[in-house]
Amino acid sequence: MFAKILIANRGEIACRVIRTARRMGVRTVAVYSDADAGALHVGMADEAVHIGPSPVGESYLRGDKIVAAALATGAEAIHPGYGFLSENPDFVDQVTAAGLVFIGPSAASIRAMGLKDAAKRLMEKAGVPVVPGYHGEAQEIVLLASKAREIGYPVLIKARAGGGGKGMRRVEHPDDFSEALSGARREAKAAFGDDRVLVEKYVDKPRHIEVQVFGDIFGNVVHLYERDCSAQRRHQKVIEEAPAPGMTPALRKAMTEAAVKAAKAIDYSGAGTIEFIVDASQGLKADRFWFMEMNTRLQVEHPVTEMVTGTDLVEWQLRVASGEKLPKAQSEIALSGHAFEARIYAEDAARGFLPATGTLHHLKFPDTAPEGASMRIETGVRTGDAISPFYDPMIAKLVVHGKNRQAALEALGISLSQTEIAGSTVNTAFLAALAADADFSAGDVDTGLIGRHQQALTAVPPPSSEIVAAAALAASGAGAQAPTRDPWSSLAGYAHFHAMARRTRLRYGEDDILALVSMRPDGRFQVALDAPYDSALDLRAAPRLARWPGHVTVFSGAVGYSFAVPDPLARADEIAAGADSLRAPMPGLVKLVRAAKGETVIKGQPLLILEAMKMEHTISATHDGTIAEIATEGAQVTDGTVLVRFAEEAYG
């Protein structure tokens, strides 16, 4: 076994690898960028090496710096985690050329599966079923459009490199093919440095089911059953589970055998995932699944497999990479119970899942698992850490296990309702709504479920009068510790014949709220609310809430209602986005500008494309008008930056 390894990653996966390595007595070296100097993974590792500025191209994607750090610290092997350099065969070559061990598959195996078109041709030869489509080398638009017509609409344009939904477009009609192709190519080029695509038949009710495989250098390959990753938004997974709901013995046998066959076809060693698309329009059948791609690394969702099989896949990775045989034979791997993983992101679900930034002023996960269940929290952040625009906005993975799917699903809902995060917009309410969705609860899930139910899943009810009153009480200085502190000192003020009232102002969205907070003789507080609430409530016990600079967040189930608390001594900023301008909804890069200064545009017309987290977001005109100013291509903008300003005559 290795004495010391370097982890070429950050965040929760780096922390995850460190925990297993520490348990095995293996020392660890972390690497970090400027933005991560105080990160959790840096503090957890035995050693840490600075590798460059915050942008990934100058730090976590610099294979030369990472190899140099490993050599300088005496590490024997490099664990890539996932993302970044984990599926880069050139990096594997760098590692092995330096006399180090890459904890993962060979460069040859990664290259064999690295490009979707070549991988599918290889799988066809190996007898693994593949999705009908065009997987050839030619990339002329006329040819691709012709192939799309032959396949039959709707079709799916997919980047041949990478994954995560980047460079992917569904096309319903031939007239939309050219525009979709251009967008997919731009996104693929930005994310993977390769703008080539393939075109496939779009399956009407697709299930995304994948099989975890593991191989060693002795030619042994096993599977650890399947995971269902069909709950996706924007082609990216949000809740995964194992085993797949509704799985039949016949389909499981066919899929797992195909997965093992695929891994053996490329002499695979280490952890890998074979992803299949399954047509669920007529139930799960053994002849209605097709190979999509192979991820030649550990998956984000690997914990659900660990929960249902009782394995530690990171330990397996270390053992196999150090030259050992697989820890278990296929006959020794059994399924037990059911597990879910929910990905908690800093993102605004109500605004199309736009990524968010901010400081995590309050971060609290459940202390214990719900009765009859087990739980684990995978995170790389702590209270006070910042979610930056440089990296994936994942905050944590909440993983639960129960004796069956219903028990695990109930545990997931309870655990999400007990999670408290303040300081950034997060998706916990959306995740809880998805877990409670009737179709999802019944296991009737496909990749289009979130899109069909998106409005209901992302709708957050307005705060009740009780929630507003609790926020006002906390803002007045009396709420957070009301049951235990002396109310006279907390509410500060004395009147001989009547209770002293404190005027408090809050802002929730566009609403300005006025409240009067006073103490009653029995120790309760009375909160009188102005319009639109027009109510008076008596409060005694403090609810779940967090006070942070200029704000109060009150938690109700999985929803966090955040109220701004204006400073009465500070001058308010009167500059805001009005109807005369469009502002950036998040930090990003102005990728493409489609209009010009002086041009007259109509409502709904695309004006520019903003790229954030390697995904494209179209900014369209909200009304008819004439453009007075527009951002330039290549500009890096922050959240709230004016992108488009309209001429005043548009409102005359």
Side-chain angles (χ1 to χ4, degrees):
M1 181 49 62
F2 307 114
K4 183 189 291 187
I5 65 171
L6 181 142
I7 303 163
N9 219 295
R10 63 176 301 280
E12 60 89 13
I13 184 56
C15 297
R16 164 75 185 87
V17 175
I18 290 170
R19 285 195 297 272
T20 288
R22 180 180 297 159
R23 179 176 58 78
M24 296 176 67
V26 178
R27 293 178 60 81
T28 55
V29 180
V31 293
Y32 65 93
S33 68
D34 289 347
D36 281 340
L40 180 59
H41 76 281
V42 175
M44 287 181 62
D46 297 299
E47 301 173 59
V49 179
H50 178 251
I51 54 171
S54 302
V56 294
E58 301 175 53
S59 52
Y60 294 106
L61 292 180
R62 287 290 301 273
D64 56 336
K65 291 185 177 182
I66 291 170
V67 169
L71 294 172
T73 56
E76 303 160 78
I78 294 179
H79 193 299
Y82 45 68
F84 295 145
L85 295 169
S86 62
E87 294 182 281
N88 186 321
D90 295 335
F91 177 61
V92 180
D93 287 337
Q94 279 183 286
V95 172
T96 55
L100 303 169
V101 175
F102 180 77
I103 302 175
S106 67
S109 293
I110 295 175
R111 287 190 175 98
M113 288 296 192
L115 299 177
K116 296 183 180 69
D117 52 355
K120 289 183 178 181
R121 291 194 294 270
L122 178 62
M123 290 299 98
E124 283 181 311
K125 291 181 181 178
V128 178
V130 301
V131 181
Y134 173 72
H135 310 129
E137 292 287 343
Q139 293 289 300
E140 294 81 7
I141 185 173
V142 174
L143 174 67
L144 294 176
S146 172
K147 293 296 182 181
R149 285 193 296 271
E150 290 178 15
I151 296 166
Y153 284 88
V155 298
L156 199 61
I157 300 173
K158 297 172 65 175
R160 73 170 195 162
K166 298 177 180 70
M168 186 180 294
R169 296 289 189 278
R170 176 181 174 177
V171 190
E172 298 283 350
H173 192 273
D175 292 345
D176 302 323
F177 187 84
S178 177
E179 178 73 12
L181 177 63
S182 297
R185 281 176 164 167
R186 282 194 307 271
E187 206 166 79
K189 185 69 174 178
F192 317 119
D194 185 346
D195 66 356
R196 286 169 288 183
V197 301
L198 48 86
V199 183
E200 294 181 343
K201 177 66 179 173
Y202 183 83
V203 180
D204 288 330
K205 191 175 182 181
R207 288 269 297 271
H208 180 136
I209 301 177
E210 58 191 32
V211 176
Q212 176 73 59
V213 294
F214 221 108
D216 61 25
I217 61 173
F218 303 99
N220 301 306
V221 177
V222 298
H223 70 81
L224 290 94
Y225 300 97
E226 80 282 351
R227 299 183 289 257
D228 194 299
C229 307
S230 301
Q232 302 178 10
R233 47 87 175 117
R234 297 173 60 173
H235 304 296
Q236 292 182 309
K237 306 164 188 174
V238 288
I239 294 182
E240 301 98 345
E241 61 181 298
M247 176 59 70
T248 65
L251 179 57
R252 176 173 288 144
K253 182 176 185 295
M255 290 184 72
T256 54
E257 287 179 353
V260 170
K261 186 185 299 184
K264 286 185 174 181
I266 57 170
D267 298 321
Y268 196 78
S269 175
T273 301
I274 310 295
E275 300 194 348
F276 296 100
I277 193 78
V278 181
D279 182 356
S281 59
Q282 299 177 12
L284 298 182
K285 297 184 177 181
D287 62 348
R288 302 296 290 172
F289 75 96
W290 302 279
F291 171 87
M292 284 199 301
E293 61 183 322
M294 181 178 189
N295 286 298
T296 51
R297 55 172 168 79
L298 197 66
Q299 290 280 88
V300 177
E301 58 272 22
H302 76 274
V304 294
T305 293
E306 294 182 324
M307 294 285 242
V308 297
T309 59
T311 57
D312 183 333
L313 295 180
V314 174
E315 178 181 341
W316 281 34
Q317 286 185 300
L318 296 180
R319 293 195 180 282
V320 166
S322 66
E324 297 182 20
K325 289 186 176 182
L326 287 175
K328 290 184 178 182
Q330 188 66 68
S331 60
E332 299 174 290
I333 305 170
L335 278 174
S336 177
H338 203 98
F340 284 95
E341 174 183 286
R343 302 189 189 188
I344 300 175
Y345 282 104
E347 66 180 14
D348 193 339
R351 298 172 66 197
F353 302 101
L354 292 179
T357 56
T359 298
L360 301 174
H361 291 284
H362 179 82
L363 182 64
K364 182 178 183 294
F365 298 108
D367 295 324
T368 58
E371 184 177 356
S374 57
M375 176 188 68
R376 59 194 261 195
I377 303 294
E378 303 282 355
T379 186
V381 295
R382 301 156 294 189
T383 298
D385 286 351
I387 303 298
S388 81
F390 296 106
Y391 313 118
D392 184 271
M394 182 186 287
I395 295 172
K397 301 183 309 194
L398 191 158
V399 191
V400 296
H401 177 270
K403 62 182 180 180
N404 53 43
R405 189 174 190 271
Q406 185 58 38
L409 192 58
E410 290 176 1
L412 178 64
I414 293 170
S415 300
L416 285 168
S417 71
Q418 295 174 346
T419 298
E420 301 175 4
I421 305 173
S424 177
T425 303
V426 295
N427 68 339
T428 49
F430 160 74
L431 292 171
L434 177 58
D437 177 84
D439 288 343
F440 187 85
S441 297
D444 185 14
V445 60
D446 61 82
T447 59
L449 184 146
I450 290 176
R452 293 193 301 272
H453 299 185
Q454 186 166 333
Q455 185 172 355
L457 294 173
T458 59
V460 176
S464 65
S465 296
E466 289 78 6
I467 289 171
V468 177
L473 186 60
S476 73
Q481 302 296 330
T484 57
R485 288 176 55 186
D486 175 3
W488 290 114
S489 60
S490 64
L491 198 51
Y494 171 75
H496 189 63
F497 296 108
H498 58 82
M500 178 71 76
R502 174 173 294 179
R503 184 185 298 267
T504 300
R505 287 190 177 276
L506 301 171
R507 186 169 182 83
Y508 181 77
E510 299 299 318
D511 295 335
D512 285 306
I513 304 166
L514 176 63
L516 290 175
V517 181
S518 57
M519 194 201 73
R520 294 169 54 93
D522 61 2
R524 289 180 295 172
F525 293 100
Q526 185 176 73
V527 183
L529 301 174
D530 203 349
Y533 298 95
D534 289 326
S535 59
L537 299 97
D538 290 343
L539 300 177
R540 179 185 293 275
R544 298 162 56 216
L545 57 82
R547 290 188 287 189
W548 46 289
H551 295 80
V552 172
T553 298
V554 180
F555 301 101
S556 177
V559 183
Y561 292 96
S562 291
F563 299 82
V565 183
D567 183 350
L569 300 180
R571 182 179 177 183
D573 181 4
E574 298 295 339
I575 302 174
D580 66 333
S581 63
L582 297 175
R583 293 180 181 252
M586 69 225 149
L589 174 73
V590 179
K591 190 71 174 180
L592 184 67
V593 175
R594 293 181 167 180
K597 181 179 179 179
E599 182 179 340
T600 299
V601 298
I602 61 173
K603 181 178 180 180
Q605 180 177 335
L607 304 181
L608 55 84
I609 291 176
L610 187 67
E611 180 187 273
M613 308 293 181
K614 300 299 182 184
M615 299 289 283
E616 292 186 352
H617 309 270
T618 300
I619 306 298
S620 301
T622 54
H623 52 74
D624 297 349
T626 302
I627 294 177
E629 297 177 37
I630 190 165
T632 57
E633 283 187 16
Q636 191 76 41
V637 298
T638 59
D639 188 4
T641 299
V642 174
L643 299 175
V644 181
R645 197 179 303 280
F646 294 95
E648 293 183 6
E649 59 264 30
Y651 309 101

